[in-house]
Amino acid sequence: MSVAHINPSNHLFSSGHAPFSISFAQTEQIQALDKEKIITTIQFSATEQAESEDLEAFNIMLPSLSTPAYSEVWVARDKLVSGQQGDIKFRKNNEILFGKICLDESRFDSLEDCSNHAYSSMLNFINQKEFPHLIRIWNFFPEINASVNSVERYQSFCIGRYSAYQNVTEFERTLPAATAIGSHGKGFIVYFVATTKAGVQVENPRQISAYHYPEKYSPKSPSFARATLKHWPSVTHFFISGTASIVGHETLHEENVLIQLEETLKNIEALVTTVRDTHQQPIHDITNLSLMKVYIRYPEHYKMIQESLSQRMGKNISIVYLQGDICRSNLLLEIEAFAEFQH
Ligand code: 3EB
């Protein structure tokens, strides 16, 4: 049973030390929660799901490869209020702001404009609020590997995002960890977490910073950090970006998904080691991470990946497997991760 080792209740109820917790949970567990403290519940399903008015629940159109399907649940320690400004829906308390933008691309002349609008709105929005620091962003939109006028859609997305960031002073220093995945839904979706005090950027010694990638991947480089560490008064959160089989800036092992998995884990390991040795965080190795999301291009690779990864990760980490398109067509999988350290 692919998810037998998941024990969502370990994380579900915030210990009280952290401003929020993240876990993978099933419907019954979510129903038991205090609604005023649910930041959001993210479902992953290939079929459209009813969306609540105020972010309490929304769906990302990525088929779940593991069964049963788990939702990603964000629970706050303190009560939240909801709001909306323009295209942005948000929920916040004194410590955290969670925001989501969902755009209909047909409103715009191009994906570049759509991406630029989403990022400009988000940056403008967080700057007016008590939460000017981004610590984590997710991006989902369809047909990520398709080309329009010989520009890949992922590149158009990068160009729009980059130009929105041009209004931020020394923007590269402010970039948070991120994920960008091709979904099966129609909408262009960005969701983000912003805080009152900045997180710490972490880069990967095995990889060139994405914001310094050469032009061949995108005329304007991808604007994200490899990971963010966010220190709170008594815990630290560690957000690892979507990570793939890239060393330096090149994709490795195009033909072999299991070797891509190994290379990806080496990249994640390098981030863990950096956080342990350079940032003095109490993490020994990758088996100490708490959550992982694995995005797999071809569903037929799921079983192989799941067998290999669950063996490597042991019992403490909860893993969900989703079918999604990775932003370079030669990448077969991508993994993001999360951990919480008590001080
Ligand atoms: C990579 O390392 C893989 O454009 O926001 C991973 C995470 C990737 C985020 C993004 C892209 C993004 O380049 C792709």
Side-chain angles (χ1 to χ4, degrees):
M1 179 69 222
S2 58
V3 289
H5 60 284
I6 287 189
N7 184 4
S9 57
N10 279 349
H11 310 286
L12 198 53
F13 300 102
S14 180
S15 59
H17 297 296
F20 63 88
S21 63
I22 313 172
S23 60
F24 298 136
Q26 289 185 271
T27 316
E28 313 82 70
Q29 295 169 300
I30 299 164
Q31 280 162 351
L33 294 168
D34 177 355
K35 279 206 182 329
E36 289 183 309
K37 294 186 178 174
I38 298 179
I39 301 170
T40 196
T41 306
I42 308 162
Q43 295 164 274
F44 300 95
S45 165
T47 49
E48 206 78 71
Q49 305 286 315
E51 178 159 331
S52 68
E53 262 308 295
D54 56 2
L55 274 190
E56 218 173 85
F58 65 87
N59 185 53
I60 298 293
M61 298 275 273
L62 295 177
S64 173
L65 293 166
S66 32
T67 47
Y70 282 84
S71 296
E72 181 176 321
V73 190
W74 290 58
V75 180
R77 177 172 52 191
D78 297 331
K79 284 185 184 177
L80 300 142
V81 294
S82 302
Q84 179 155 8
Q85 182 182 310
D87 294 307
I88 301 173
K89 287 183 179 180
F90 62 90
R91 254 163 102 68
K92 65 168 183 172
N93 59 25
N94 287 329
E95 298 174 296
I96 173 183
L97 181 144
F98 184 97
K100 178 182 175 240
I101 306 172
C102 180
L103 298 173
D104 178 352
E105 263 186 63
S106 68
R107 268 172 59 189
F108 303 90
D109 290 339
S110 62
L111 176 59
E112 180 182 327
D113 286 354
C114 178
S115 162
N116 184 267
H117 176 82
Y119 272 79
S120 300
S121 315
M122 174 181 72
L123 292 169
N124 187 35
F125 173 72
I126 61 166
N127 276 320
Q128 306 155 16
K129 300 275 164 187
E130 322 86 277
F131 302 93
H133 303 286
L134 291 163
I135 59 164
R136 186 64 168 95
I137 304 184
W138 283 263
N139 307 276
F140 297 98
F141 57 91
E143 306 282 346
I144 195 166
N145 302 123
S147 291
V148 177
N149 304 326
S150 52
V151 181
E152 283 173 27
R153 278 169 55 81
Y154 174 65
Q155 300 192 352
S156 305
F157 157 74
C158 285
I159 298 166
R161 172 172 62 178
Y162 180 94
S163 51
Y165 273 119
Q166 291 316 289
N167 300 318
V168 178
T169 325
E170 290 195 76
F171 80 96
E172 287 174 353
R173 289 166 179 268
T174 71
L175 297 174
T179 293
I181 289 288
S183 64
H184 298 199
K186 285 209 172 65
F188 177 93
I189 297 170
V190 175
Y191 55 89
F192 58 93
V193 182
T195 51
T196 57
K197 292 197 187 109
V200 177
Q201 283 182 333
V202 182
E203 289 300 303
N204 191 330
R206 303 183 84 237
Q207 299 181 308
I208 288 178
S209 292
Y211 49 82
H212 290 151
Y213 277 168
E215 263 182 37
K216 68 171 175 176
Y217 300 104
S218 173
K220 297 293 174 193
S221 302
S223 311
F224 69 98
R226 297 300 181 185
T228 308
L229 270 180
K230 172 60 188 159
H231 301 299
W232 301 99
S234 57
V235 302
T236 293
H237 284 155
F238 181 29
F239 290 98
I240 297 184
S241 288
T243 303
S245 178
I246 296 173
V247 176
H249 56 75
E250 312 256 18
T251 298
L252 297 188
H253 326 300
E254 280 193 35
E255 305 304 325
N256 191 319
V257 71
L258 286 183
I259 305 180
Q260 285 203 8
L261 173 64
E262 291 307 311
E263 203 67 56
T264 301
L265 293 177
K266 282 187 194 161
N267 280 332
I268 294 177
E269 204 159 60
L271 288 166
V272 166
T273 305
T274 303
V275 154
R276 185 188 66 205
D277 298 344
T278 310
H279 298 272
Q280 279 91 44
Q281 293 303 309
I283 182 163
H284 182 64
D285 61 35
I286 49 175
T287 66
N288 305 126
L289 294 166
S290 25
L291 304 175
M292 266 187 179
K293 295 219 287 292
V294 183
Y295 301 96
I296 298 175
R297 182 183 294 280
Y298 299 115
E300 55 270 31
H301 289 161
Y302 161 63
K303 210 168 177 331
M304 282 197 286
I305 294 169
Q306 187 273 329
E307 275 168 13
S308 175
L309 190 60
S310 58
Q311 231 168 42
R312 292 279 296 273
M313 288 302 125
K315 297 215 179 316
N316 294 324
I317 178 158
S318 302
I319 309 176
V320 300
Y321 296 87
L322 305 170
Q323 187 192 349
D325 295 332
I326 322 304
C327 62
R328 292 184 188 180
S329 50
N330 54 16
L331 289 171
L332 302 170
L333 89 168
E334 183 173 303
I335 301 179
E336 63 175 57
F338 173 77
E340 178 181 303
F341 312 128
Q342 306 286 329
H343 295 176

